[in-house]
Amino acid sequence: MSFQEFLEMGGYGFYVWTSYGIATIILIANIVFPLFQRKIFFRQQALKQKRQNS
Amino acid sequence: MFLVPDAVVRFFHRMASPPHFYAFTEKLMPWLTGLFLLLIVPGLYGGLYLAPADYQQGDSYRIIYIHVPAAWMSLFIYVVMAVTGGIGLIWRIKLAEVVMISSASVGASFTFIALVTGSLWGKPMWGTWWVWDARLTSELILLFLYLGVIGLYGAIDDKRTASKAVAILALVGVVNIPIIHYSVEWWNTLHQGPTVTKMDKPSIHVSMLVPLLLMALAFKVYYIIAMILRARVELVQRERNSQWVKSLIAEEVVE
């Protein structure tokens, strides 16, 4: 099987790869989003601590 | 506790303490990530490459390796949410509330993935993106239940009160779970019947079944990872005024 054939998925390439693509994007977002939130929260709280200490 | 070994009871007791949960999950994360990769890589390789095309559906059936595990997770996570919601209601355990609400966004994501991939599978096979039949409609209601949980939690400022309200909503919504599961048997529908859970004689070949089970396990581990990441944020936000969070922040500043 050539790589081209693999991508074509017997003519269903659009449906198969869109499914896998959407799932990948959503699942990555669910990992990145909380990591990002954590970073923001720690930065905010650190600033607050600094203000209170000074 | 009845018949539960002491060590197990002690483990859950310690895990229910927020600082311990926070520290423990940090150590756990690399192991979970490794396990996830060990499952997803052969799962995808087997599903997209090794498994033969279906004799009726051609290669379009390969959507199954996303669709079915995602749909299973959408139900599984809802049950986890309802159970932890119930535990939070009865015993007021903060960590149960946090696990409940952290599961909601992951569950909503899997429900959405199940619906979208189902649609993308339905178009070439049934000739339509959507039908208002029992399976599809009840899964759509599940998505609304998840979104309701997330919205309700965000709408109430006091997070302990919010958790109580959300737990009640989650518990009421549990009636939808058996409806989704049995919908393909109770009603006539375009959606195909179960192929895997007929354990005595699954109507799916081993070369197709193994990647499906690998993907299902990978999604389960993924849920644990995503839920824990979300729970850790929720926990430090809720406990921002406690000493353990303050010293965590102080440490971070030094680094």
Side-chain angles (χ1 to χ4, degrees):
Chain A
M1 184 169 67
S2 72
F3 188 65
Q4 188 60 32
E5 278 173 329
F6 177 69
L7 287 184
E8 277 166 14
M9 280 284 157
Y12 296 111
F14 168 75
Y15 301 103
V16 173
W17 296 118
T18 311
S19 295
Y20 280 78
I22 289 173
T24 307
I25 291 167
I26 292 174
L27 295 186
I28 288 176
N30 267 295
I31 298 293
V32 173
F33 191 62
L35 290 175
F36 191 63
Q37 270 185 316
R38 182 185 179 279
K39 210 171 182 177
I40 291 175
F41 174 78
F42 271 78
R43 201 175 290 163
Q44 278 175 346
Q45 297 298 308
L47 274 176
K48 217 167 132 189
Q49 273 192 4
K50 219 191 245 167
R51 249 179 289 145
Q52 281 165 351
N53 290 343
S54 58
Chain B
M1 295 287 255
F2 335 75
L3 300 175
V4 182
D6 247 13
V8 176
V9 176
R10 269 202 306 274
F11 175 76
F12 276 101
H13 254 273
R14 295 216 339 248
M15 284 302 282
S17 123
H20 193 270
F21 176 86
Y22 196 87
F24 179 75
T25 49
E26 191 157 342
K27 281 186 216 131
L28 198 61
M29 207 42 88
W31 296 96
L32 287 173
T33 310
L35 183 59
F36 171 73
L37 292 174
L38 277 178
L39 292 164
I40 193 99
V41 171
L44 286 173
Y45 182 65
L48 287 170
Y49 188 77
L50 286 186
D54 186 70
Y55 79 104
Q56 281 181 325
Q57 303 196 2
D59 283 311
S60 76
Y61 95 95
R62 295 187 197 278
I63 294 172
I64 202 176
Y65 298 112
I66 302 286
H67 176 73
V68 167
W72 281 343
M73 289 313 294
S74 73
L75 301 184
F76 175 80
I77 295 173
Y78 196 92
V79 173
V80 171
M81 209 171 71
V83 169
T84 48
I87 292 172
L89 267 185
I90 298 167
W91 289 292
R92 311 297 295 138
I93 298 171
K94 209 176 283 174
L95 193 73
E97 297 174 357
V98 168
V99 169
M100 170 189 69
I101 196 60
S102 304
S103 297
S105 44
V106 190
S109 300
F110 275 122
T111 312
F112 183 76
I113 290 171
L115 286 166
V116 170
T117 56
S119 194
L120 281 159
W121 194 2
K123 182 62 184 169
M125 289 301 111
W126 302 341
T128 176
W129 299 103
W130 184 263
V131 280
W132 288 103
D133 85 336
R135 171 55 70 84
L136 281 70
T137 308
S138 54
E139 184 75 11
L140 185 64
I141 291 171
L142 185 70
L143 180 64
F144 292 151
L145 280 169
Y146 275 122
L147 296 180
V149 161
I150 295 167
L152 185 61
Y153 188 75
I156 303 172
D157 275 337
D158 176 51
K159 290 311 169 198
R160 306 235 58 189
T161 316
S163 300
K164 236 190 247 179
V166 162
I168 292 166
L169 175 61
L171 283 167
V172 172
V174 162
V175 290
N176 193 32
I177 297 297
I179 295 178
I180 297 174
H181 183 75
Y182 290 109
S183 56
V184 285
E185 290 169 26
W186 290 344
W187 289 282
N188 274 322
T189 163
L190 266 182
H191 196 286
Q192 66 191 58
T195 40
V196 179
T197 47
K198 292 184 295 183
M199 274 309 171
D200 45 331
K201 197 173 176 289
S203 43
I204 178 170
H205 191 263
V206 173
S207 62
M208 295 176 173
L209 181 63
V210 170
L212 185 61
L213 296 180
L214 284 171
M215 291 299 286
L217 286 173
F219 277 18
K220 199 151 275 178
V221 176
Y222 169 89
Y223 156 62
I224 297 171
I225 293 172
M227 184 272 284
I228 283 177
L229 289 177
R230 183 77 198 78
R232 286 162 60 87
V233 178
E234 184 69 29
L235 217 49
V236 286
Q237 283 177 339
R238 278 190 181 209
E239 306 249 297
R240 65 181 74 198
N241 293 322
S242 69
Q243 201 45 55
W244 72 274
V245 174
K246 280 183 177 162
S247 43
L248 263 183
I249 291 159
E251 275 169 40
E252 194 108 335
V253 174
V254 174
E255 282 162 19

